[in-house]
Amino acid sequence: MLTVSELSKVAQATPDAIRHYVRIGLLTPSRNPDNGYKLFNGYDIKKVKFICRAKGLGFTLSDIQIIFDHSSAGKSPCPAVRDIIQQRINENRDRLVELNRLQQRMDEALEKWKSMPDGEPDGNAICYLIESTH
Amino acid sequence: MLTVSELSKVAQATPDAIRHYVRIGLLTPSRNPDNGYKLFNGYDIKKVKFICRAKGLGFTLSDIQIIFDHSSAGKSPCPAVRDIIQQRINENRDRLVELNRLQQRMDEALEKWKSMPDGEPDGNAICYLIESTH
DNA sequence: ATAGACCCTGGGTCCAACACACAGGTCAAT
DNA sequence: ATTGACCTGTGTGTTGGACCCAGGGTCTAT
């Protein structure tokens, strides 16, 4: 049986992350009756490593919760896993498009501002650099 | 003098956003002594429009707070504005790199998983699709 | 006059995924 | 016995709002 910090070392996560997973129900450690400390077993090590790998593939913690639920209900999580990642791929594609557009706007703005002098506050405009963008 | 919803219409923001800006101190409306309603003036319209434009350029609300502070202290915010956006550009570039890498990992995983059969839970592995990734 | 529909307010919770702060417990070494 | 290092649990903060609630005000139509 492992404590929080022991698990965190074995499974390569921070103690804060471990505690977070416990809070949201991804891990359900038993407790040391003497001091209330959380106690983890070998399956918890596997679960934390799983969480890290899945996070690295773009799964959210609630996605992972769903996978755990399937698994502990004796069902194969694999179809859900394929569905979820397809969704995350779509979302990420959209986010990339948006961030690329933002990057372009920022680049253009800075380029333009480099050749503009500072404006002094006149009680009217706040910052004419930004207010000059359209 | 405008109420929250009037300002929200004129300045193209939601009433919830306006209230949010008031809560965090970006706007400091006067109050109608009869009913406590927030009362905004013409400068507030300008400020909200400014907030929207600046947000669209990647400035955070606390960036905007800093700009307002400079401005109301009688200093030109322009140098700070150039510094901040340069920072946001750098951050965004990093984020883009990371998201592109994630996208690639997700694409590869899904492609691989398409040709793999579902695994049934065996009390040992959680989902071998994910656990097979390295 | 009054019913219904809408608007306002302050205050609260919720989202992701932790990070950090705090007070106190535990343990080895001295 | 005491010091110091390290650990624990819980509570709160982060970003930028969205949404919800109850209590009250206001407007329009009948």
Side-chain angles (χ1 to χ4, degrees):
Chain A
M1 296 295 249
L2 308 170
T3 65
V4 169
S5 74
E6 286 165 352
L7 176 60
S8 78
K9 275 161 201 152
V10 173
Q12 312 258 53
T14 68
D16 275 329
I18 303 285
R19 292 197 187 93
H20 181 59
Y21 302 153
V22 174
R23 280 192 210 198
I24 65 176
L26 280 178
L27 301 173
T28 51
S30 55
R31 297 291 177 144
N32 181 332
D34 293 341
N35 50 23
Y37 286 14
K38 302 170 177 77
L39 289 177
F40 301 92
N41 59 31
Y43 196 57
D44 291 318
I45 301 174
K46 203 178 275 286
K47 285 173 87 173
V48 173
K49 287 184 176 171
F50 182 91
I51 292 169
C52 294
R53 217 169 305 178
K55 264 165 44 71
L57 283 170
F59 291 84
T60 68
L61 296 183
S62 47
D63 291 340
I64 295 167
Q65 181 68 273
I66 291 170
I67 297 171
F68 283 179
D69 289 349
H70 277 252
S71 181
S72 63
K75 293 184 291 188
S76 172
C78 299
V81 163
R82 292 196 194 84
D83 286 355
I84 292 170
I85 204 170
Q86 182 63 66
Q87 230 174 300
R88 299 291 162 256
I89 286 173
N90 294 342
E91 288 168 9
N92 201 52
R93 194 178 345 87
D94 295 347
R95 210 163 19 201
L96 276 169
V97 168
E98 203 178 323
L99 288 187
N100 272 314
R101 275 204 279 253
L102 172 61
Q103 189 75 358
Q104 200 174 344
R105 282 201 303 277
M106 291 193 296
D107 284 342
E108 282 170 11
L110 182 56
E111 208 45 48
K112 181 174 166 197
W113 295 347
K114 276 182 177 166
S115 60
M116 290 167 70
D118 294 354
E120 289 306 316
D122 58 354
N124 190 6
I126 295 160
C127 171
Y128 87 107
L129 293 185
I130 288 174
E131 283 163 326
S132 73
T133 66
H134 154 82
Chain B
M1 296 296 247
L2 309 169
T3 65
V4 169
S5 74
E6 286 165 354
L7 176 60
S8 77
K9 274 160 201 150
V10 173
Q12 311 259 52
T14 68
D16 274 329
I18 303 284
R19 293 197 187 94
H20 183 59
Y21 301 152
V22 173
R23 279 190 202 197
I24 65 177
L26 279 178
L27 301 173
T28 51
S30 56
R31 298 293 176 144
N32 182 332
D34 294 340
N35 51 22
Y37 286 15
K38 301 171 178 76
L39 289 177
F40 301 92
N41 58 31
Y43 196 57
D44 291 318
I45 301 174
K46 203 176 275 282
K47 284 174 89 173
V48 173
K49 287 184 176 170
F50 182 91
I51 292 170
C52 295
R53 218 169 303 178
K55 265 167 43 73
L57 283 171
F59 290 85
T60 69
L61 296 184
S62 45
D63 291 339
I64 295 166
Q65 182 69 271
I66 290 170
I67 296 171
F68 283 179
D69 289 348
H70 277 251
S71 181
S72 63
K75 292 185 292 188
S76 172
C78 299
V81 163
R82 293 195 194 85
D83 286 355
I84 292 171
I85 203 168
Q86 183 63 67
Q87 230 174 302
R88 300 288 161 257
I89 287 173
N90 294 342
E91 289 168 8
N92 201 53
R93 194 178 347 86
D94 295 348
R95 213 166 13 207
L96 276 169
V97 168
E98 204 178 322
L99 287 187
N100 272 312
R101 276 204 279 253
L102 172 60
Q103 189 76 358
Q104 199 174 343
R105 282 200 303 277
M106 291 194 296
D107 284 341
E108 281 169 13
L110 181 57
E111 208 45 48
K112 181 176 165 194
W113 295 346
K114 276 181 176 166
S115 61
M116 289 167 71
D118 293 355
E120 288 308 316
D122 59 354
N124 190 6
I126 295 160
C127 172
Y128 88 107
L129 293 184
I130 288 174
E131 281 162 327
S132 73
T133 65
H134 116 100

